[in-house]
Amino acid sequence: MKELLTTLTEREKKLIYILVLFLLVIGGWFLVIKPSLKNYNQAKLNKANRAAELTKLKDELKDYQQADGQLAILDQNYQAIIDKYNGVYTNDEIDDLITKQIMASGLTPASLNISEGNTVEQNSTNSTTNKQKEVSTKTTSSNIITKTVTTTVQGNLNGVGNLLDKVKTMKGVSVASMNYSDKQDSSSQSTNINSYDITFLVYMIDK
């Protein structure tokens, strides 16, 4: 080997040294640097995936912790809706309710008819779930009943205004329509009595 080296010129020796260094660099790249770089990139990807999973778990944990509070708010909202309606009244109770308001307003009830109303079922399901199991579920079902009350009352416009003001403060009662016409009262020749046809809507809820 020494004899071979001694026969080489300086230029040839330099080329051999350069070739050896090049082979060492290439070998180091494929045997050391490239595998290490691949492992680094994989570790970086695994870290990013775990960070995303951790964020998702934190969000689910937050939802779980807030579930009771959210259900309490939903219960309050549902109760607020229920409070806007009356309980289920019989026709006699509806008659008594409307008649009292008419008379308290200074009007005279001439007729009152109650029609069977519409019934609409209201269903509400509130639930909060996490990834593995259902935390809580609350289902509510109520029937909203609307009855139409058609009345004819006699009196003056001031009394009708009083009645409309009273209805505004009543729970679950509204005025659907109102018409009036002049009618002479046979018992009094000096006073014109107006006759008003007023339609009420009474809203009830079967809890």
Side-chain angles (χ1 to χ4, degrees):
M1 186 70 178
K2 290 182 179 181
E3 293 177 355
L4 179 62
L5 292 175
T6 56
T7 60
L8 297 174
T9 64
E10 288 297 326
R11 183 173 179 276
E12 291 173 336
K13 289 179 181 179
K14 289 181 180 180
L15 291 174
I16 291 174
Y17 292 150
I18 292 173
L19 178 60
V20 171
L21 289 175
F22 177 74
L23 292 175
L24 289 175
V25 171
I26 295 300
W29 169 260
F30 284 101
L31 296 176
V32 179
I33 298 177
K34 188 175 181 179
S36 298
L37 184 61
K38 182 178 180 181
N39 292 336
Y40 170 77
N41 290 334
Q42 185 62 43
K44 186 176 180 180
L45 179 61
N46 292 340
K47 181 180 179 181
N49 291 336
R50 291 178 181 177
E53 291 177 359
L54 179 61
T55 301
K56 184 178 180 180
L57 290 174
K58 287 182 178 179
D59 291 339
E60 291 177 352
L61 178 61
K62 183 179 179 180
D63 291 340
Y64 179 87
Q65 292 172 337
Q66 295 178 346
D68 290 341
Q70 291 172 349
L71 288 175
I73 293 174
L74 291 172
D75 284 339
Q76 292 175 359
N77 293 339
Y78 180 71
Q79 188 61 44
I81 293 174
I82 290 178
D83 290 342
K84 294 180 181 179
Y85 296 93
N86 297 297
V88 178
Y89 291 160
T90 65
N91 286 352
D92 288 339
E93 290 173 330
I94 294 175
D95 187 324
D96 184 62
L97 175 69
I98 299 300
T99 300
K100 283 183 178 179
Q101 297 301 322
I102 292 173
M103 297 181 69
S105 301
L107 301 171
T108 302
S111 66
L112 187 149
N113 295 304
I114 301 174
S115 64
E116 291 302 321
N118 299 322
T119 300
V120 179
E121 184 176 358
Q122 299 288 326
N123 292 309
S124 175
T125 301
N126 306 320
S127 63
T128 303
T129 60
N130 62 16
K131 186 176 181 181
Q132 297 297 332
K133 103 179 194 182
E134 189 173 2
V135 176
S136 179
T137 301
K138 181 177 180 62
T139 301
T140 55
S141 178
S142 302
N143 292 326
I144 296 178
I145 304 168
T146 305
K147 288 200 174 185
T148 302
V149 182
T150 303
T151 65
T152 298
V153 300
Q154 293 180 341
N156 55 39
L157 193 58
N158 185 53
V160 173
N162 292 336
L163 177 60
L164 296 180
D165 289 338
K166 289 181 181 295
V167 171
K168 289 180 182 179
T169 64
M170 294 177 67
K171 176 180 176 180
V173 179
S174 67
V175 175
S177 65
M178 183 184 71
N179 297 297
Y180 69 93
S181 61
D182 292 335
K183 182 182 293 184
Q184 183 72 34
D185 187 354
S186 60
S187 64
S188 176
Q189 297 180 353
S190 61
T191 304
N192 288 327
I193 301 299
N194 294 326
S195 178
Y196 298 87
D197 296 323
I198 304 176
T199 300
F200 300 90
L201 294 177
V202 179
Y203 302 97
M204 300 173 289
I205 186 166
D206 186 4
K207 305 174 186 179

